Structures are given as structure tokens and as C-alpha cells.
Amino acid sequence: MPDQSVPDQSVPDESLRAHMSPEEFRRQGHATIDWIADYWASLDGLPVRAQVAPGDVRGLLPPSAPESPEPFDAVLADLDRVVVPGLTHWQHPRFFAYFPANSSPAAILGDLVSSGIGAQGMIWATSPAVTEVEQVVLDWLAEALGLPEAYRSDGPGGGVIQDTASTATFTALLSALHRASGGAVRRSGVGGTRWRVYGSTQAHSSLVKAAMMAGLGEDAVRTIDVDASTQAMDVDALRDALLEDVEAGLRPVMVHVAAGSTSTGAMDDVAAVAEVVREWGVWVHVDAAWAGVAAVCPEHRGHLAGVEAADSFVTNPHKWLLTTFDCSTFWVRDRAALTGALSILPEYLRNAATESGEVVDYRDWHPQLGRRFRAVKLWAVLRTYGLEGLRAHVRSGVALAARVADLVSADDRWELVTEPSLSLVVFRLRAGDEETMAAMEAVNASGEAYLSHTTVEGRAAIRLAVGSWRTTQADVDRAWAALQDAAAGQGG
Ligand SMILES: *Cc1c(COP(=O)(O)O)cnc(C)c1O
């Protein structure tokens, strides 16, 4: 008789020893939070911009991973030795470059919880709370921003957290193509139709990237001129472009409306754009990545007038609204176009809840399948600040920017390039482009503050965007003092 006994295939628990014990995790977790709190406390004394040359950080790291385990303390210690000197400190109170990428204590704890739970929320069934908390939080935020009813999850539309506004814009374009093609794009691609996408010369570069990724090619994006003083889209020029394109047999599919452009915070007129494109059924996508969150304040909703007519809207709580990257909130008026473009149901994801049609499966709302529980950090922010606290944060940024604009206006050497937009001030040295850029570089090199630049109507300008959760008037004044010194250095 053959031997019927089962061979001993038990696996030793050896591998478990490699993990931190729960007690060790607790200890290291406390130490890590302490490290973050100490890091924040140290920021004021650190130069804002990284002070390293290419390769400096790499040079401090061994060429290979360690063969034997090291304690986590060793990783923490290397944060100070290797990482911190190679950082530009985005949470620094005098970080005024680009737009803020705000974090906040509440958001970080929320993010940590999300990591600790480690759930995949790709479909409702894989963790119902991940989907339903996200739906409710996005409904809350839509209401807080005064967005149209149609964007709520209990209507035909709904909201979803995307990683970035770039992905949201790409998703909007796919939805627009789905609707305009009656589903043909989903089945057989963009085909021979000569699709056209519109945005102003100031539209974010993610629009062109979206056209490239969607297979339309960058030439499919027609850029529309802006008004020289406001930098907002010239809506008459948009109308002319549409008429010309339709005449030439092209198919207009989407218009990108910048509600707060990246360069100067320019506000396209949402209502006027929507009115112009209406007769061709063009999808209206409002890109309010930076400025949209300001609408928590009723007095800062003016730039969204007409948003009821938009098909989709994106704003980034991860910029100005205290929610650790990544958290880009995206709403659509009619989710059928979105899920029509992106839904796909492989056998292994079939489940009763999906088939019942009673639940939302977020994997159909964006390019990727897997998704983390990002809603929890936004939930933490909305609850612990309250809308009141968020309004106070936005208002302080706007007030500090107004202060900078006053300082610029009061000094003959400097001039405003555009009217300040919310918490963004764009200005230059009257002396010229070279002097302006040299002054900015001097401030950035000093580490005293960090600013970025743009060009407006062909001339160099400095951008100062307020918005960090730790910025006070004293910080803005220090940045201004550094600019004054730099201007004097330019013979101003
Ligand atoms: C910052 C910004 C973007 C891109 O944001 P990501 O989330 O980094 O993709 C798009 N549009 C505007 C107007 C922006 O200011």
C-alpha cells in the first residue's frame, strides 16, 4: 500500500519575526509622530528651499539594501541626516512658491488611519465604508462650496476623490468623448473623427496631457486667447474658434474653464463659456484645482458663477484646504457618461451588490482599479476644523495676500502685474525681467522665503501664493523684507 500519511508541510513562524511586534510598532509610532512634530517645530529656522546639488542625497545612501534587518530607529535617524537637508519644505511658513500643498495635523492622522486600515476600496463590496464615507464627505464638501445639487450622490451625478486634478481632467475628457460619440470611443477608439478640445492659453498643461493620453494628440487642443489685463479666456474668440472648427468638419468635445489659472489665478467666465458652447453640446469642465476650495467662504464664490451649467468640476483640497496630498475632489453632473466611459467588469469582481445596482463602484470613476481610503483624511479635516475653521484659514490667506499687494503697490520699485487673485499676488520689479528674476533668485537662495515665477504677456513676474497652515503676518513681512533687500541689490 502506498503511504497515505500527509507529509509535514507546516511552515515555521520564522518569517513573523521580521515584523515589528505590536508593542514595538506602538513605540516606533510614537517616536515617528514625535519626529514629525519636531520637524514642524524646526521649520522656522530652516532654509525653505533645498540646499543640495544633484547627487548629494544619493551619495549619502548605500548602493544596496541591507542584507540583515535594521531597527526602525535607524530609519528615523537618517531622516535628519539624509532627507531633511535635501528637502524643500512645503509646510514651511514662508513657502510661497507654486501653490501650497497643504498638510495639517488632522489630515496626517487621517492618512495614517487610512494606511493602518489598508483597505482597497476599488468596489463597494471590497469595503463598503471606504465608498460610503467618501460619498458623504464629497456631498458635504459640494454643499460647503455651494456646488450644484446635481453633483450630489443622491442625484444623477456624484463626486469622487482622484489622486490629482490632472487625472480628473483626463477623466472628464474621457467622459466627454463617451457622451459625444454615443459610446463609440469606448468600443473602437477615437477613430477618424477630428475631435477638438478648447482651453485658454492659460489652461493648465494637464489639458494637453489629457488630449495626448486620450489618443487625440496635442494638436487636438485649440488654445484660445486671453484678455491682456485679466488673463481670462476671451469668450468671443472661443465662439469664433468653435464656428470655424465646426465649419471645417471638426468635432468640439470639451472646453476647459480655468477658475483660477495656475500662472496668475485668472478666472474664466464659467457662465459665458457654457452659454457659448451650449448649442454644440460641448462638455464643460471647470478646473478650479487651486481656487475652488475658497468657495467655502460665500464671499469667494463669485468665480464659480455659472457652475450649474458645468458638466464636471475639480478642486484640490490638497492644495489650499489642509488635506495632505493626494486629495483631488472631482464631481460630475451625470455619472452615466463617466462610468459609461470607464466601467469594466471582470469575472473576479462580480458580486451581488454591484449587480443590484444599489451601490457605487469607484473603480469605474477613474483610470486605476485600486484605491486607498483617502476620504478619511478629508473627513478628519472637515470635522476637526469645521467649515468655520476652514473659512478662517482661507480668509487669512486672502488677507495676507492683500497685505503683500498693498506693500507692492506702495513701493515705486515694484508693480502688480495682475490684480491679486484670492491668496495669489503676481508682481515684478519695474526695472525689468532680469532684475525681477535676479531678485527672486536672491530671496530663494537665501532660504528666507521661497517664491516662484511666471511670464505674463511675455514679461517675467514673481508669484507669491499664501496658504500654508503655519503662515502668519510676520512670515509675509519677512518675505517682503527679503524682497526689499533683493531689490536694493538690483540697484532698485
Ligand atoms: C495645480 C493645478 C493643476 C494640477 O494639479 P495636480 O493635482 O497636481 O494635477 C491643474 N489645474 C490648475 C488650475 C492648477 O492650479
Side-chain angles (χ1 to χ4, degrees):
M1 256 191 80
D3 182 2
Q4 295 282 308
S5 69
V6 179
D8 180 7
Q9 289 182 330
S10 67
V11 179
D13 287 344
E14 201 64 32
S15 66
L16 274 182
R17 301 221 177 96
H19 304 295
M20 277 186 209
S21 69
E23 280 319 308
E24 178 70 356
F25 174 71
R26 233 179 256 283
R27 194 175 74 73
Q28 297 295 1
H30 287 284
T32 303
I33 298 284
D34 282 344
W35 184 88
I36 296 171
D38 290 344
Y39 168 68
W40 288 338
S42 74
L43 282 177
D44 201 45
L46 295 177
V48 189
R49 191 174 70 177
Q51 307 280 305
V52 294
D56 283 358
V57 177
R58 167 181 282 271
L60 295 171
L61 293 166
S64 311
E67 196 58 49
S68 21
E70 295 178 36
F72 190 76
D73 311 66
V75 179
L76 275 187
D78 273 358
L79 292 180
D80 293 317
R81 188 181 67 90
V82 180
V83 176
V84 171
L87 292 175
T88 290
H89 304 291
W90 285 69
Q91 308 308 316
H92 195 293
R94 289 183 301 284
F95 181 98
F96 299 116
Y98 313 106
F99 283 130
N102 252 328
S103 213
S104 68
I108 289 159
L109 295 177
D111 214 18
L112 190 58
V113 168
S114 167
S115 295
I117 292 172
Q120 276 291 347
M122 50 203 178
I123 58 178
W124 180 88
T126 56
S127 261
V130 175
T131 297
E132 294 191 17
V133 171
E134 182 160 331
Q135 289 182 293
V136 170
V137 166
L138 288 222
D139 283 349
W140 285 4
L141 188 58
E143 181 179 51
L145 300 180
L147 295 178
E149 286 280 336
Y151 289 175
R152 308 289 171 80
S153 61
D154 56 3
V160 62
I161 301 179
Q162 304 271 14
D163 53 5
T164 60
S166 302
T167 303
T169 295
F170 175 49
T171 308
L173 179 54
L174 297 176
S175 310
L177 283 164
H178 183 77
R179 187 175 78 181
S181 70
V185 164
R186 165 186 178 113
R187 291 187 301 274
S188 41
V190 292
T193 308
R194 292 157 68 209
W195 300 104
R196 263 284 208 222
V197 176
Y198 303 82
S200 85
T201 56
Q202 302 303 304
H204 191 263
S205 56
S206 54
L207 179 65
V208 170
K209 199 169 194 175
M212 287 157 50
M213 291 191 292
L216 305 184
E218 52 192 313
D219 291 349
V221 180
R222 178 151 184 184
T223 49
I224 308 297
D225 283 342
V226 293
D227 176 272
S229 76
T230 64
Q231 297 289 296
M233 185 191 284
D234 176 344
V235 180
D236 290 329
L238 172 67
R239 184 185 297 107
D240 293 345
L242 278 156
L243 285 168
E244 192 180 288
D245 286 350
V246 170
E247 186 71 17
L250 296 152
R251 274 292 298 281
V253 59
M254 185 177 92
V255 61
H256 169 284
V257 186
S261 69
T262 312
S263 172
T264 63
M267 307 288 185
D268 294 348
D269 184 337
V270 185
V273 168
E275 183 57 35
V276 161
V277 306
R278 189 200 308 272
E279 68 178 280
W280 292 288
V282 174
W283 186 283
V284 178
H285 174 59
V286 176
D287 176 358
W290 160 68
V293 298
V296 288
C297 302
E299 74 273 24
H300 296 314
R301 273 181 202 165
H303 63 288
L304 301 185
V307 72
E308 313 76 56
D311 294 289
S312 54
F313 178 89
V314 63
T315 189
N316 286 351
H318 71 226
K319 275 184 169 161
W320 192 4
L321 205 69
L322 303 164
T323 312
T324 308
F325 190 88
D326 52 352
C327 183
S328 180
T329 46
F330 175 64
W331 288 270
V332 285
R333 146 183 314 285
D334 176 11
R335 59 176 177 262
L338 172 59
T339 57
L342 296 175
S343 67
I344 191 139
L345 182 59
E347 183 54 35
Y348 50 83
L349 290 180
R350 274 188 198 285
N351 68 93
T354 296
E355 254 131 65
S356 76
E358 278 178 58
V359 302
V360 154
D361 289 327
Y362 272 137
R363 58 122 204 266
D364 295 337
W365 292 55
H366 44 49
Q368 82 279 17
L369 172 63
R371 62 195 327 269
R372 61 200 303 269
F373 196 0
R374 280 180 297 218
V376 77
K377 62 189 167 191
L378 183 55
W379 193 35
V381 166
L382 292 174
R383 291 181 62 181
T384 62
Y385 284 88
L387 296 179
E388 226 172 70
L390 297 178
R391 284 184 204 114
H393 168 66
V394 166
R395 284 178 183 140
S396 100
V398 173
L400 291 173
R403 180 178 173 84
V404 173
D406 286 346
L407 292 167
V408 168
S409 302
D411 187 322
D412 285 345
R413 292 173 299 186
W414 298 93
E415 63 184 350
L416 291 173
V417 172
T418 47
E419 280 305 303
S421 174
L422 297 168
S423 60
L424 174 65
V425 192
V426 182
F427 55 101
R428 68 196 315 274
L429 274 173
R430 287 182 199 275
D433 287 356
E434 260 179 53
E435 290 79 0
T436 300
M437 292 303 289
M440 184 188 78
E441 187 44 38
V443 172
N444 290 347
S446 77
E448 186 67 0
Y450 187 34
L451 305 154
S452 59
H453 76 282
T454 186
T455 57
V456 180
E457 299 291 312
R459 297 170 74 193
I462 298 173
R463 297 168 72 268
L464 189 155
V466 189
S468 161
W469 54 293
R470 303 173 74 256
T471 301
T472 63
Q473 184 171 311
D475 294 306
V476 161
D477 289 351
R478 267 178 75 171
W480 178 245
L483 280 160
Q484 297 285 77
D485 286 351
Q490 291 308 307

